[in-house]
Amino acid sequence: MAKEGVFPYRARHPHRQLSTLKMEKLTVPKFRAMKAGGRKIVMLTAYDYTMARLLDSAGVDGLLVGDSLAMVVQGHHTTLPVTIEQMIYHASMVARAVQRALVVVDMPFLSYQLGIRDAIANAGRVLKETGAHAVKLEGGADQAEVIAALVKAGIPVMAHLGVMPQSVLQSGGYSVQRDLSRLVADAKAVEQAGAFAVVLECIAAEIAAQITKQVSIPTVGIGSGAECDGQIQVVHDLLGLTLGKVPKHSKCYADLKSLAVAAVTRYCEEVRSGAFPTEKQSFQ
Ligand code: KIV
């Protein structure tokens, strides 16, 4: 008779147990074509294997291993401290988990600002060492040369305009962006350079709508209104796991923080009272 496993393999690694909404694997060209096809793009951030599995199985189109992990996972005050090694570490967990979604990885601060050679080497490392599909970097016309060089090297690039958290020390904060002519020029510059999509962060809704109309690549908004071609949110905000203030542009679809604290409080009580473990959780 087979012995009862202590860690049943399938329970720990249920690779086939989660149903995936629609198994058509997304590629960069399919992602880009969603705009022309009128299909809204759904993205979330992800930083680890388990969460990426859950989000992929729920049917998101893209997962961003955002440098927001510096704040959300590592507890820093800005996105600046996260390193390329740390991004690669998290991105490889996410890429390993995913069956359908496109995996995009943020290029962290100073991994692409020091010159084209450096940018290609770092972005190349991200793709080679993680299994992710694309990188994202912050900037418009000022980064067009870097974007073009990455694309020429075969590295798909998602651009990022509006609030650019890597420049927070220079900008002094995260205020809503409203400069229509500069933002449209930046969006056109990244499109021209070969970016396959562009994130619009905290841009006034009317301005984001104008940008969306004026470029052929998809715009993926966060705090930039409903007219963007898609939306992205930080998963901790969406699931109610954020410890501090949740941004105005986020909506909590669940309160996992309360559920987690209640569950662990009960566990503490049961261990202390002797109610856990019972025979059911014990081996004879
Ligand atoms: O790092 C991140 O999570 C991001 C999103 C907010 C778009 O760049």
Side-chain angles (χ1 to χ4, degrees), residues 105-170:
V105 183
D106 256 337
M107 296 295 292
F109 181 55
L110 292 193
S111 67
Y112 58 95
Q113 293 93 336
L114 301 181
I116 285 176
R117 221 185 138 76
D118 237 54
I120 296 176
N122 284 323
R125 272 193 73 192
V126 169
L127 298 196
K128 280 167 78 109
E129 295 178 32
T130 69
H133 308 113
V135 298
K136 174 167 86 58
L137 57 83
E138 295 179 10
D142 58 327
Q143 292 299 335
E145 231 185 298
V146 171
I147 294 172
L150 294 178
V151 172
K152 190 164 171 227
I155 300 169
V157 179
M158 180 176 274
H160 181 143
L161 300 175
V163 164
M164 290 186 272
Q166 289 178 15
S167 306
V168 67
L169 298 180
Q170 206 156 36

Side-chain angles (χ1 to χ4, degrees), residues 29-94:
K30 282 182 193 163
F31 189 94
R32 189 183 164 148
M34 286 173 77
K35 177 169 183 144
R39 279 173 64 197
K40 285 276 189 191
I41 295 167
V42 185
M43 289 190 72
L44 280 171
T45 62
Y47 314 108
D48 69 66
Y49 178 86
T50 301
M51 187 61 84
R53 286 281 319 271
L54 296 175
L55 305 182
D56 187 50
S57 74
V60 296
D61 301 311
L63 290 178
L64 172 69
V65 185
D67 59 356
S68 51
L69 76 82
M71 299 165 86
V72 175
V73 178
Q74 298 177 327
H76 293 294
H77 289 300
T78 71
T79 61
L80 304 194
V82 67
T83 65
I84 188 83
E85 277 75 24
Q86 290 163 345
M87 292 305 298
I88 286 171
Y89 174 72
H90 285 273
S92 59
M93 295 181 226
V94 170

Side-chain angles (χ1 to χ4, degrees), residues 266-267 270-271 273-284:
R266 203 167 142 214
Y267 169 67
E270 291 197 358
V271 170
S273 71
F276 175 86
T278 64
E279 249 181 46
K280 196 172 168 204
Q281 292 96 25
S282 305
F283 302 97
Q284 308 309 325

